[in-house]
Amino acid sequence: MRPIELTPLFASLQSLTGIGPRLILLMRKCVNLPAGITEPRVLDLLWHLPTGVVDRRAEPAIAEAVPGSIATLKVRVLKHKPPPRGNNRAPYKVQVEDDTGKLDLVFFHAERKFIERQLPVGEERYVSGRVERYSDKLQMSHPDYIVPPEARGDLPMLEPVYPLTAGLSGKIVQKATRQALERLRPVPEWQEATWIKARAWPDFSDALQRLHKPTDGADVSAGGAPWQRLAYDELLAGQIALALVRQNFKSRPGRIVKGDGSLRAKLADALPFALTNAQREAMREIEADMGAPRRMLRLLQGDVGSGKTVVALLAMAIAVEAGGQAALMAPTEVLARQHLETIGPLADKAGLRVGLLTGREKGRGRKDILDRLASGDIDIIIGTHALFQADVVFRDLAFAVIDEQHRFGVHQRLQLQSKGNGSGTDVLVMTATPIPRTLVMTHYGDLDVSRLTEKPPGRKPIVTKKIPTGKMEKLVERLRTQLADGAQVYWVCPLIESSEVSELAAAEERHAHLVQLFGKENVGLLHGGMQDKAKDAAMEAFSSGQLKILVATTVIEVGVNVPNANIMVIEHAERFGLAQLHQLRGRVGRGTRESYCMLLYKAPLGETAKARLEMMEETEDGFLIAEKDLELRGGGEVLGARQSGAPGFRVAEVPGFEALLTAARDDARLLLAADPMLASPRGQALRTLLYIFECDEAVRLFRAA
Ligand code: ADP
Ligand code: MG
């Protein structure tokens, strides 16, 4: 159960005074919510950290005020100077003074009543804002604050600046945040005393207080003590949660899944090629894991096209040889079908019975699949998260493959595993994202890793070139020649941040343009907003060669296999991350044709974008690219994770991330070795930490154990 002192933090933001449904909508837009949470809570606001401060501490006399700077002035109101009648453009001015001089407060489009109420003639006020010189006079237009002397304490002398959205003012966020801070109850210290002392880190509540009510500009810097402390808290929570999941996997007995090799031999016969060394090595590792009396949790990493699917199929065959069933879960419908197309014919030849279960299977068809799964009539089921639904029951799920592409998390992995019949389903996670080793542990914990570093033989290099948008005509000419020669082209349209609508519009516009150039019958369109049927039809038409050019938003990133497609055009390539570019490029170069990747960019290129595109020109090695990407970002975000909608960190992306992460991993390891049940006083305190960072799933494992 979540500790009671945290309850106020998990209440809806609406429980704060002044926050109603309208503001909630705006808050939802600008605070970063964890996956699955739609209604922002008090805690989410506390994690909405300032990007800087406005310093109002200068309190000069009027004569000493420096034009251009922010100042807080103590003044007397002298007189009001409303604009002349009939001139709406002229501002409303209020002249104020102190013993050293005079200054005008200036209001455009003023609400007269408001000004009269705020600034009664003859009274004293504190005003804070930017001082300006206008001809030979000093003025302050639209002061940020106007308060009477008795309310001087309400003036934020160091005012935090928050990321905002249209309609949501900094003042509203500040006010709400102050209330949120009052909801903090004392929590036990979960960090080691010597560790925080050495770094002069504040305790948890102090850290939040100092970030939201800074008393020093350095307080809100991501390199400052308060932020660093919270970053470490988050990383430690993550590392402990992952270690617990893993510990749980290991502590519960797994089953020995051993086959006689008969199905694998049939599959090998059916395959038109020999396995690469990397594939063979991965199979050896997987076979050893499955055959051991513990649970398997292994990550299979390999570039798109490196042959992961074949490995998955052979591994699933082991489970079936051993008398069990296997499941392969894909992140999207399209991918699930693609897997079925690849695996189906091979499986048929080996006598494996394969089924498909996605959100689209309904009614009679779905029931039929469920019956056959329960009776053991299906050996291998391929599907989407439809496989999680409660009424999906296996006769004996021995092995699950999760084709991840960033779309699942620890939670889903636990869920699918729970579909096993209690004796411990082995799990293989596949990812096409070449995550650098340092980051594997952040996102997956300390699990076993197999890497397919070598491409299947016979692949030709993909010629990659960056081209300024200005040269699009030349590109079009070259495409014409290529198309005449039987080429097929993917044309990926710009990624536009946070606006699906305009992303779609851009794709439609490009589609129309290319239709004009190449003819309606040759150019298709594929985007996320299309109906499943229309999507399939477009894919099918491209796949069969009927369409020559497929204009697409980034939906194709998640994986389609059209071996004949040999040209990838990426518009506004400068807006994509390296990992995404790499994944997109992986869609071509699968057949026998010479392949090309054209990176269209809008000049001038920023330095980082330039480095990215040049890296793409230089190499096709996904692991190298991933390391470079990490270097360019210098942060903890997994490559492309943000673009593809995976939940990132709340506060951990700070300078020094990697060092903090390594420390957190070691800390978690030592800690769990000494206190595997988190029963010690520090262990108990850490449970609170896990709840704060919403790793409840991990805490729950104690009860399951
Ligand atoms: P991934 O799942 O890693 O993207 P796939 O398993 O889909 O890659 O393989 C990509 C293509 O390479 C498929 O057409 C597959 O048949 C082929 N392939 C896989 N392994 C080999 C191999 N050892 N030799 C030749 N071709 C292979
Ligand atoms: Mg594949």
Side-chain angles (χ1 to χ4, degrees):
M1 207 72 79
R2 182 190 294 148
I4 193 110
E5 61 267 29
L6 300 184
T7 309
L9 300 183
F10 285 88
S12 160
L13 262 191
Q14 295 220 46
S15 66
L16 299 179
T17 319
I19 304 288
R22 191 184 68 84
L23 284 177
I24 285 285
L25 283 179
L26 296 175
M27 294 270 191
R28 197 190 293 166
K29 272 198 207 159
C30 83
V31 306
N32 176 10
L33 296 177
I37 300 293
T38 50
E39 166 103 10
R41 303 147 308 169
V42 172
L43 184 72
D44 299 312
L45 188 61
L46 289 176
W47 292 139
H48 191 59
L49 298 181
T51 51
V53 286
V54 176
D55 191 341
R56 309 188 178 283
R57 287 175 299 183
E59 296 188 74
I62 289 179
E64 261 100 61
V66 182
S69 72
I70 302 272
T72 301
L73 307 173
K74 186 181 186 190
V75 299
R76 268 184 313 277
V77 180
L78 264 183
K79 61 177 173 196
H80 284 225
K81 303 187 279 190
R85 271 193 185 283
N87 185 353
N88 285 332
R89 291 256 187 86
Y92 189 113
K93 295 187 179 179
V94 178
Q95 192 177 50
V96 300
E97 63 165 5
D98 66 8
D99 295 340
T100 69
K102 294 186 173 47
L103 171 140
D104 277 342
L105 303 176
V106 179
F107 301 87
F108 293 90
H109 310 290
E111 212 190 302
R112 208 174 165 137
K113 283 241 169 63
F114 172 79
I115 298 174
E116 282 166 358
R117 208 168 345 107
Q118 293 284 311
L119 295 160
V121 172
E123 296 210 5
E124 284 197 322
R125 289 290 182 267
Y126 281 92
V127 296
S128 186
R130 192 171 297 280
V131 178
E132 301 151 357
R133 186 185 300 284
Y134 183 70
S135 59
D136 59 343
K137 283 186 179 167
L138 277 185
Q139 66 174 40
M140 182 185 284
S141 33
H142 296 272
D144 302 325
Y145 290 91
I146 303 173
V147 299
E150 64 273 18
R152 187 180 179 291
D154 293 349
L155 265 179
M157 299 310 276
L158 268 176
E159 185 179 20
V161 178
Y162 293 97
L164 299 169
T165 185
L168 188 65
S169 75
K171 277 189 194 164
I172 293 174
V173 174
Q174 272 180 55
K175 235 167 128 184
T177 306
R178 299 237 161 170
Q179 291 183 62
L181 286 171
E182 284 163 22
R183 302 281 179 97
L184 284 169
R185 302 279 171 271
V187 287
E189 180 57 78
W190 44 75
Q191 301 294 3
E192 237 172 14
T194 48
W195 171 261
I196 23 186
K197 199 157 166 235
R199 279 155 194 79
W201 281 352
D203 72 28
F204 177 76
S205 303
D206 275 357
L208 279 169
Q209 297 274 359
R210 277 172 58 184
L211 275 157
H212 290 293
K213 298 203 294 197
T215 53
D216 185 312
D219 280 350
V220 301
S221 142
W227 202 320
Q228 291 274 315
R229 144 115 215 184
L230 297 178
Y232 190 74
D233 282 343
E234 179 170 31
L235 290 171
L236 184 63
Q239 288 302 302
I240 291 177
L242 288 165
L244 285 172
V245 169
R246 179 158 172 77
Q247 177 178 295
N248 182 60
F249 253 85
K250 282 205 158 164
S251 69
R252 293 210 242 164
R255 63 198 276 184
I256 294 177
V257 180
K258 267 201 165 111
D260 59 6
S262 56
L263 289 170
R264 275 169 285 169
K266 284 187 198 160
L267 286 171
D269 281 346
L271 283 174
F273 47 74
L275 294 187
T276 63
N277 287 329
Q279 284 171 320
R280 236 175 289 156
E281 179 57 27
M283 275 312 295
R284 257 196 300 277
E285 290 166 342
I286 291 167
E287 195 179 352
D289 280 357
M290 294 176 79
R294 58 181 170 86
R295 291 194 194 189
M296 158 179 175
L297 182 57
R298 180 172 286 276
L299 180 68
L300 179 62
Q301 277 186 291
D303 264 337
V304 168
S306 60
K308 295 183 296 296
T309 315
V310 180
V311 172
L313 173 59
L314 289 167
M316 291 195 287
I318 300 180
V320 182
E321 284 169 13
Q325 290 166 297
L328 168 58
M329 186 169 69
T332 66
E333 179 104 36
V334 174
L335 254 190
R337 283 177 197 278
Q338 190 113 51
H339 278 312
L340 181 69
E341 269 164 41
T342 324
I343 285 175
L346 291 167
D348 275 351
K349 284 191 195 156
L352 284 161
R353 295 159 300 174
V354 179
L356 180 73
L357 186 64
T358 71
R360 250 196 274 176
E361 274 64 49
K362 297 216 167 78
R364 179 78 73 69
R366 180 167 187 275
K367 182 164 184 318
D368 180 50
I369 300 264
L370 293 190
D371 288 346
R372 292 172 57 212
L373 271 180
S375 68
D377 242 15
I378 289 178
D379 300 314
I380 293 179
I381 184 83
I382 297 172
T384 54
H385 28 292
L387 291 173
F388 287 147
Q389 281 152 12
D391 59 347
V392 179
V393 178
F394 290 82
R395 187 181 65 79
D396 178 17
L397 180 64
F399 183 60
V401 182
I402 302 181
D403 186 4
E404 176 147 274
Q405 322 245 7
H406 287 316
R407 260 103 176 149
F408 304 110
V410 177
H411 297 254
Q412 277 93 339
R413 249 170 269 154
L414 288 170
Q415 256 176 313
L416 187 61
Q417 188 222 218
S418 73
K419 292 278 180 199
N421 65 4
S423 52
T425 299
D426 286 332
V427 175
L428 179 71
V429 180
M430 297 201 292
T431 173
T433 310
I435 306 168
R437 279 193 197 281
T438 43
L439 289 191
V440 166
M441 72 186 178
T442 349
H443 286 257
Y444 297 93
D446 192 15
L447 47 52
D448 303 307
V449 179
S450 298
R451 286 180 147 194
L452 297 182
T453 46
E454 140 194 44
K455 284 201 174 183
R459 297 273 164 78
K460 289 197 185 147
I462 303 167
V463 178
T464 302
K465 274 199 118 46
K466 62 176 187 320
I467 304 173
T469 336
K471 296 203 176 145
M472 181 146 3
E473 267 174 42
K474 256 219 172 109
L475 171 66
V476 166
E477 258 166 56
R478 278 175 70 183
L479 288 185
R480 229 181 259 289
T481 326
Q482 282 279 337
L483 289 178
D485 197 35
Q488 279 185 287
V489 182
Y490 287 110
W491 189 298
V492 176
C493 276
L495 181 81
I496 292 168
E497 262 170 30
S498 75
S499 164
E500 271 169 49
V501 181
S502 42
E503 192 162 316
L504 177 59
E508 280 174 340
E509 196 176 308
R510 180 61 65 211
H511 176 247
H513 172 220
L514 293 173
V515 160
Q516 271 186 0
L517 291 171
F518 295 103
K520 195 167 184 249
E521 64 288 356
N522 291 320
V523 188
L525 178 64
L526 183 69
H527 61 76
M530 279 161 61
Q531 296 282 318
D532 289 337
K533 274 219 177 100
K535 264 193 222 169
D536 282 357
M539 264 327 294
E540 177 55 36
F542 187 62
S543 182
S544 69
Q546 188 192 324
L547 287 174
K548 304 293 181 233
I549 302 180
L550 186 65
V551 178
T553 52
T554 45
V555 286
I556 65 160
E557 186 198 350
V558 289
V560 286
N561 189 16
V562 182
N564 190 56
N566 64 322
I567 302 178
M568 169 67 64
V569 179
I570 305 174
E571 257 190 80
H572 278 299
E574 78 279 2
R575 294 187 191 163
F576 291 83
L578 254 182
Q580 247 184 330
L581 291 173
H582 177 67
Q583 297 230 3
L584 286 169
R585 178 170 61 182
R587 300 293 135 209
V588 297
R590 302 182 150 215
T592 47
R593 276 169 193 284
E594 193 80 51
S595 298
Y596 303 90
C597 176
M598 303 300 185
L599 305 171
L600 279 174
Y601 67 90
K602 190 159 176 260
L605 274 180
E607 211 162 293
T608 314
K610 182 155 174 271
R612 267 194 238 127
L613 300 189
E614 282 172 357
M615 187 71 191
M616 288 294 292
E617 290 179 326
E618 269 161 39
T619 183
E620 277 184 61
D621 182 331
F623 290 103
L624 256 181
I625 288 178
E627 301 289 348
K628 179 75 177 179
D629 197 16
L630 181 63
E631 183 191 315
L632 287 176
R633 284 164 192 264
E637 189 188 338
V638 163
L639 321 172
R642 179 161 289 166
Q643 289 98 321
S644 55
F649 291 108
R650 315 208 73 166
V651 291
E653 286 177 55
V654 295
F657 170 87
E658 284 193 52
L660 287 179
L661 173 61
T662 311
R665 182 200 51 187
D666 294 346
D667 198 355
R669 238 188 229 158
L670 284 175
L671 187 110
L672 286 173
D675 181 17
M677 297 302 290
L678 295 186
S680 68
R682 186 180 179 208
Q684 294 286 344
L686 281 163
R687 290 180 183 218
T688 305
L689 172 70
L690 290 173
Y691 278 108
I692 288 179
F693 282 100
E694 303 178 64
C695 305
D696 307 23
E697 198 77 29
V699 188
R700 227 168 275 140
L701 292 175
F702 293 117
R703 251 166 292 141

